[in-house]
Amino acid sequence: MPEPTTADLDFLVIGECVADIVRTPGLPDRPHPGGSPANVAHGLARLGRRTALLTQLGDDPYGELIRTHLEAGGTTVLTDGQDVPTPTAIVTLDPSGSASYEFAIDWTLAPTPTPRTRHVHLGSLASVQEPGAAVARRLLREARAGGATVSYDPNVRPGLVGERAAAVAAVEHCVALSDLVKASDEDLAFLYPGIPVRDSAARWLTLGPGTVVVTRGGDGAFALTPTGETRVDAPPTTVVDTVGAGDSFMSALLATLDTHRPSLDALTAALRTAAAAAAITVSRAGANPPTAAELTDASSRRAPGSG
């Protein structure tokens, strides 16, 4: 895939890279390139979209691992020029393959020129961890002013977002700047404890986005729009681990939708494709999203149904 230019970039993803050090009882530690925004960028590039990632990477072995991984998959890596250590996360897998995380990360993104693009995606810690979050939010505002559409996935890490009220305010700021928002049911349960997940999603819809998508793990996903609601089931799969599943869902959703205000039929089809991408990812180790060919094959083998 040729390197994108400022005139033909499809997606600019803003956010952190993280070296995921996967720890499984009885096995050696395994380092994997990770970080939710980096995974989304990688997934978009593997699906044939011209994608760049604006991030921070250290001049260290983990930084080289991540840069090589992303560029080999077709993602253009852009940094703010600061020499900072590459963030790490200890990823511990339980016997079912579910992942928990222990992070060592600072997000200090400096103001930097960004390429012109059709769409900007912001995710995870980059939207809430200061001082870099303020810069990321400013870049979203500038992108919207320049005609780009915007998506957002808070991908909440409870141990890193600080005081809940401040995290909610930062997240809602980003929601209001976005055309499409995706969150997990766990994200919403943490941000709004005691409130039904659908009610929280409906509230987000009033803040400005045209579509709010909620993933529910093995229970599928649903989406709310001003004109209605749609739901899909999760395809059956064998879970190896859940690392990167939500990011693969996000990549496939963005790659499939060609408008930020889709019809319910188009949105349902996009959710099915995104769920298929997540199912492929959990069936193999690490954040390993599908290629376009793999996703086309998986989607064609799944019988239609609204779920």
Side-chain angles (χ1 to χ4, degrees):
M1 159 185 270
E3 180 174 318
T5 69
T6 57
D8 65 6
L9 191 64
D10 293 324
F11 293 94
L12 174 66
V13 180
I14 301 172
E16 71 275 5
C17 292
V18 181
D20 288 337
I21 303 168
V22 179
R23 184 163 292 168
T24 306
L27 296 174
D29 288 353
R30 294 173 290 137
H32 292 283
S36 176
N39 292 340
V40 172
H42 183 58
L44 284 165
R46 282 174 68 87
L47 293 175
R49 303 304 188 265
R50 296 163 294 189
T51 305
L53 173 70
L54 175 61
T55 191
Q56 293 184 294
L57 278 178
D59 184 15
D60 52 40
Y62 287 141
E64 182 61 26
L65 171 72
I66 293 171
R67 183 183 292 274
T68 299
H69 163 75
L70 291 171
E71 291 180 345
T75 300
T76 298
V77 178
L78 309 173
T79 68
D80 64 358
Q82 296 187 81
D83 186 12
V84 294
T86 300
T88 60
I90 303 298
V91 184
T92 302
L93 301 178
D94 68 17
S96 72
S98 294
S100 60
Y101 298 82
E102 180 181 343
F103 290 90
I105 178 171
D106 291 309
W107 177 245
T108 61
L109 185 70
T112 184
T114 58
R116 289 184 296 132
T117 182
R118 181 173 60 83
H119 185 94
V120 177
H121 175 75
L122 174 65
S124 200
L125 298 173
S127 68
V128 296
Q129 191 173 85
E130 303 295 352
V135 174
R137 293 191 296 267
R138 190 180 81 188
L139 293 175
L140 287 195
R141 291 192 293 271
E142 292 174 353
R144 286 187 69 93
T149 51
V150 171
S151 59
Y152 174 52
D153 177 2
N155 194 38
V156 176
R157 302 300 186 191
L160 294 177
V161 299
E163 196 269 328
R164 181 184 278 110
V168 169
V171 167
E172 290 185 350
H173 189 165
C174 295
V175 169
L177 290 171
S178 302
D179 300 290
L180 182 150
V181 179
K182 190 274 284 182
S184 70
D185 51 1
E186 293 178 345
D187 293 335
L188 292 172
F190 172 80
L191 292 168
Y192 309 103
I195 299 176
V197 166
R198 190 192 180 284
D199 290 352
S200 299
R203 181 178 180 278
W204 276 8
L205 197 63
T206 69
L207 299 180
T211 305
V212 176
V213 175
V214 178
T215 57
R216 304 171 62 235
D219 292 325
F222 69 88
L224 305 180
T225 76
T227 59
E229 177 177 352
T230 184
R231 295 175 178 266
V232 300
D233 292 330
T237 189
T238 300
V239 176
V240 173
D241 68 49
T242 61
V243 178
D247 303 324
S248 289
F249 185 103
M250 186 83 244
S251 297
L253 184 66
L254 292 176
T256 304
L257 291 174
D258 60 0
T259 174
H260 65 285
R261 292 192 182 272
S263 68
L264 283 179
D265 285 346
L267 182 55
T268 302
L271 290 177
R272 289 196 193 107
T273 300
I280 292 170
T281 301
V282 302
S283 73
R284 50 202 193 190
N288 185 3
T291 63
E294 288 175 323
L295 188 53
T296 298
D297 181 62
S299 297
S300 67
R301 286 187 283 105
R302 184 170 186 245
S306 60

